[in-house]
Amino acid sequence: MPEKQSCLDELIAALRCLPGVGPRSAQRMAYHLLQRDRTGAARLAGSINHALSALRHCARCNAFSEEEVCSRCANPRRDPARLCVVETPADLAVIEQTQAYNGLYYVLMGHLSPLDGIGPRELEFERLIARASDGEVREVILATNFTNEGEVTAHALATLLTARGLTVSRLSRGVPVGGELEHTGIGTIAQALKERREML
Amino acid sequence: MPEKQSCLDELIAALRCLPGVGPRSAQRMAYHLLQRDRTGAARLAGSINHALSALRHCARCNAFSEEEVCSRCANPRRDPARLCVVETPADLAVIEQTQAYNGLYYVLMGHLSPLDGIGPRELEFERLIARASDGEVREVILATNFTNEGEVTAHALATLLTARGLTVSRLSRGVPVGGELEHTGIGTIAQALKERREML
């Protein structure tokens, strides 16, 4: 015997836009916010609105930024000779978290996907080529995903960039760190055999 | 080499107030909202703010309500002879979802906890007793949790309410529906033996 839809039901429905949140989780989250953490709820709403209005894409690399040029691109301590190309800002964040890379980035905001009508023009390849041809970049590291689309994108970019005289490299493929062969996909093992490296 | 804290980092931090959301989930959610569902993000922020400002506690039962008296308490099709007492609005929602109860509710907004200084006065027991003594209520169903605090609360309320001539019942305890004894706690099985019911 349902009573009329309330703003509580609306909050539960709205929470379901979050990845991995189904109906029970959304309900648990809504009640948690209203019963136990109203301060956190207000902070969350405010931070969402702030991020939506204040964030734009960096003019140099497309990462999310509050300024015209992001603090990463503007940081003189980063190495301008290396440019790491990723598909999304989330991928950039993951590479940053390795703390193993001090160069600059370029975010494609997608990948080649002919079936969806996403080609070199939609991804603005010319803009990336211009960025990589600034005279400071010497190596372009292609860090697109190892999906079909990511691989196609990497190879297309490699062709264009090597033609400009740039060194182009790609993240290595293989067995993950800590991985056991028994639990690794056959395709990955086959590729790891093919791309084996001499031990020195 | 961390750049300065941004409103993106603030959004990720704010998302961690949600139950079950750790640092990786919060990051995944933030990027999902900004890259793939800005509309959903705006809707979420709006619904949080709306719920925080519009929701109050029903004057009759304490459940979340936009009106002084909630639509459930005001619904003439519900059975005023039965009053189900729960600890929180979330518990009320779960019982409603059984679709097996058509009476009215009362939300305690907590349970007895002497160590935390929460006694009958803090829980406003007198208000519940007055509510149950409206002349229409005939049975009070105690649906507090089966934790120590919930049990203590139920027994304290039972004493007070039976003294007013009301019928007081408690949800049954036992093996969950679909449960296998092998995977049921020993304490629960012991209780289920003790509270066994004759088959008719």
Side-chain angles (χ1 to χ4, degrees), chain A residues 3 27 35 66 75 89 97, chain B residues 3 7 27 35 75 89 97:
Chain A
E3 273 73 30
Q27 182 172 293
Q35 291 173 190
E66 292 176 74
N75 185 350
Q97 277 156 14
Chain B
E3 272 72 29
C7 63
Q27 182 171 293
Q35 290 172 190
N75 185 349
Q97 278 156 13

Side-chain angles (χ1 to χ4, degrees), chain B residues 25-181:
Chain B
S25 288
Q27 182 171 293
R28 191 177 317 127
M29 287 177 173
Y31 281 109
H32 175 85
L33 290 177
L34 294 170
Q35 290 172 190
R36 289 192 287 273
D37 195 4
R38 297 175 72 87
T39 305
R43 178 190 177 200
L44 175 55
S47 68
I48 290 174
N49 284 329
H50 186 210
L52 285 175
S53 66
L55 286 178
R56 60 175 92 176
H57 291 281
C58 168
R60 294 211 85 201
C61 76
N62 277 337
F64 289 124
S65 169
E66 291 176 74
E67 285 85 28
E68 172 93 359
V69 174
C70 75
S71 55
R72 206 173 288 111
C73 285
N75 185 349
R77 285 198 298 275
R78 297 198 75 115
D79 178 8
R82 286 181 297 159
L83 188 71
C84 180
V85 179
V86 291
E87 294 190 28
T88 68
D91 295 335
L92 188 160
V94 168
I95 293 183
E96 275 290 275
Q97 278 156 13
T98 64
Q99 299 195 347
Y101 178 71
N102 190 36
L104 296 175
Y105 290 92
Y106 186 91
V107 183
L108 279 174
M109 296 304 294
H111 49 234
L112 289 178
S113 183
L115 287 172
D116 301 313
I118 301 178
R121 190 185 321 160
E122 287 70 29
L123 288 178
E124 299 183 301
F125 272 16
E126 287 302 320
R127 190 166 156 237
L128 165 53
I129 293 166
R131 171 70 186 87
S133 308
D134 68 345
E136 294 205 82
V137 173
R138 291 203 303 273
E139 175 188 4
V140 178
I141 302 171
L142 298 176
T144 54
N145 288 323
F146 283 90
T147 54
N148 287 338
E149 294 88 351
E151 285 279 82
V152 164
T153 305
H155 286 280
L157 285 172
T159 305
L160 293 168
L161 295 164
T162 48
R164 295 293 189 111
L166 290 156
T167 300
V168 178
S169 58
R170 178 105 172 94
L171 297 184
S172 65
R173 249 186 317 204
V175 181
V177 167
E180 296 179 337
L181 265 62

Side-chain angles (χ1 to χ4, degrees), chain A residues 129 133 156-168:
Chain A
I129 292 166
S133 308
L157 285 172
T159 305
L160 294 167
L161 294 165
T162 47
R164 295 292 189 112
L166 290 156
T167 300
V168 179

